Amino acid sequence: MNTMDRRRFLELCGLGGGAVFASALAGCSSLGAAKSADAADFYFVQLSDVHWGFRGPENPDPTGTLPKAIAAVNALPRQPDFIVFTGDLTHTTDDPEERRRRMAEFKGVAAALKVPTVHFMPGEHDASLDRGAAFQEYFGATHYTFDHKGIHFIVLDNVSDPGARVGTEQLEWLKADLERQDKDAPIVLFTHRPLFDLVPKWDWATRDGAQVIAALMPYRNLTVLYGHIHQEHHHLTGHIAHHSAKSLMFPLPAPGSQEKRTPLPWNPAVPYQGLGFREVDAEPRTARLAIQEFPVVAT
Amino acid sequence: MKRRDVLRCLGGVAVALPLLELGVGHVRAAEGEGRVIELEARRFRYTPNEIHARAGETLTLAIRSVDFVHGFSMPELGLRSDLPPGRVTRIRLADLPVGRWTFLCDNFCGEGHEEMNGMLIVEA
Ligand SMILES: [Cu+2]
């Protein structure tokens, strides 16, 4: 298992129930449990911020990066139960036809994934200029739920409103869905933007995110996975953990580390640096999740 | 930083929320409007995008948006407003604290939205 050394392994104790995410393999009890081949344990892959259609010096391989990531996912020795793309599938454009062309192309490239079940959701680049119209034509609903092996998954749309609001109607829908869940049920919520105020002056926030988080608070085993900020980041609001994923086009600077949120330059010495995808191992019985980060190309 | 912390550390700074709520075009050059600075909001730029002021000063930004319902947000000062196109939106900033305060468009307006921002520099 020498690949294991390369991976960063992150355990989320009690699926957000504890304030700890150990960043080392040592003490990761869920790993042992996962190896016991409990039928209910599974894993899925999160891909994010593909920005299909982007052109710029920040990525000299804009049409090759996603296929390389897909090849890496297809090469995983055991295939995940499903894949989720957490938004910004395409890079924005003013031209509605071009937007649809990018979505069709992206969909064609993503079809190379061997895993049959793929869940899509929009980012602001996909949906904010037409309130999600083109996205819905190609990928269906922008918010929905599904259940898998004992875990309840919620996809929340905080991008179809150009003002980054979830909105009253969707908030009521969310509350009604949560109402049907046990307070201890393992729940994973996918969204694009951070629900908390990460860096509002970089537009890294959701305008009514505080109301969403208030609705989530009664649930003891709920974790949020999101994208938008093009890097791995871990944050707690009370007992709820929020984990952002890397991009597959260009990385962005650490939150608030500089005045402006300009993309990080391509590093020719280390191509695809800062880009990648993640595995999320789920153990529904104990409500544990563990995250492993992967680079686009193995080094 | 949480908004209430900012408000706390800003102490006596009163942000003219009633003025914002009254919205656009209704606000006359009222008493206490202070120095008026005209801005244009256009995809994907505010002009000017750097404003200088003195500590304790009261300013009114008169922002004309020309092409989109851009946003004007100063998260560190806890205020924001939509900027409907074709109108002038007036935003009063009272008793300004020393600092570099970012303002940005917080309504996604296209490719370049991420660069639509500016800085209010308040010196002692
Ligand atoms: Cu704008």
Side-chain angles (χ1 to χ4, degrees), chain A:
Chain A
M1 288 287 272
N2 59 354
T3 52
M4 219 48 179
D5 305 332
R6 233 183 22 227
R7 296 171 191 172
R8 284 198 46 224
F9 195 91
L10 184 82
E11 187 192 11
L12 320 174
C13 293
L15 212 134
V20 187
F21 12 94
S23 59
L25 268 168
C28 252
S29 57
S30 77
L31 196 70
K35 276 181 183 163
S36 71
D38 184 324
D41 293 353
F42 68 96
Y43 86 97
F44 60 92
V45 165
Q46 181 187 6
L47 300 151
S48 203
D49 295 84
V50 172
H51 285 264
W52 191 263
F54 172 83
R55 294 292 180 274
E58 293 86 355
N59 189 331
D61 187 22
T63 58
T65 305
L66 175 62
K68 285 180 179 68
I70 289 174
V73 172
N74 284 342
L76 292 168
R78 185 170 58 93
Q79 285 294 286
D81 279 20
F82 65 85
I83 312 274
V84 60
F85 281 91
T86 44
D88 282 355
L89 317 176
T90 62
H91 197 67
T92 196
T93 165
D94 284 349
D95 179 353
E97 279 179 36
E98 175 63 13
R99 178 174 306 118
R100 284 166 175 79
R101 201 179 64 76
R102 290 179 187 184
M103 286 187 179
E105 266 187 28
F106 164 82
K107 203 173 174 181
V109 174
L113 283 161
K114 287 199 293 193
V115 178
T117 307
V118 184
H119 299 285
F120 297 99
M121 55 185 294
E124 80 282 6
H125 278 255
D126 304 303
S128 282
L129 290 186
D130 66 1
R131 296 198 174 255
F135 177 90
Q136 288 175 54
E137 287 170 30
Y138 283 85
F139 304 102
T142 62
H143 64 281
Y144 53 92
T145 66
F146 60 96
D147 292 277
H148 189 80
K149 293 183 180 170
I151 294 188
H152 186 61
F153 292 89
I154 301 171
V155 172
L156 195 73
D157 171 4
N158 54 8
V159 297
S160 289
D161 179 335
R165 289 181 202 84
V166 167
T168 315
E169 202 178 310
Q170 194 185 184
L171 193 60
E172 290 311 311
W173 167 86
L174 172 70
K175 286 177 182 168
D177 179 72
L178 288 169
E179 200 59 36
R180 292 189 288 272
Q181 313 305 320
D182 194 272
K183 297 287 188 291
D184 286 317
I187 300 171
V188 174
L189 186 145
F190 297 118
T191 194
H192 180 68
R193 293 169 167 272
L195 290 173
F196 61 96
D197 279 351
L198 177 51
V199 188
K201 70 174 181 178
W202 286 3
D203 210 12
W204 285 2
T206 297
R207 204 172 292 170
D208 52 3
Q211 289 171 260
V212 176
I213 290 173
L216 304 180
M217 285 309 280
Y219 295 85
R220 288 182 279 272
N221 292 312
L222 190 147
T223 299
V224 179
L225 301 176
Y226 68 104
H228 190 59
I229 71 163
H230 295 209
Q231 63 197 287
E232 190 190 346
H233 186 265
H234 310 283
H235 180 82
L236 286 171
T237 54
H239 65 282
I240 295 174
H242 305 252
H243 306 281
S244 65
K246 290 173 180 167
S247 165
L248 290 169
M249 189 54 84
F250 53 82
L252 288 168
S257 58
Q258 51 193 60
E259 209 155 72
K260 299 206 179 204
R261 165 206 38 178
T262 39
L264 298 176
W266 179 264
N267 179 357
V270 191
Y272 312 100
Q273 187 175 36
L275 308 180
F277 62 93
R278 62 166 47 143
E279 270 187 28
V280 182
D281 295 292
E283 194 184 310
R285 232 172 356 91
T286 57
R288 282 171 188 267
L289 286 189
I291 293 178
Q292 298 179 63
E293 301 287 344
F294 288 78
V296 172
V297 287
T299 46

Side-chain angles (χ1 to χ4, degrees), chain A residues 94 125 162 207 260-261, chain B residues 43 106-108 113-114 117:
Chain A
D94 284 349
H125 278 255
R207 204 172 292 170
K260 299 206 179 204
R261 165 206 38 178
Chain B
R43 301 197 319 160
D106 61 351
N107 289 338
F108 186 85
H113 163 74
E114 286 92 345
N117 51 49

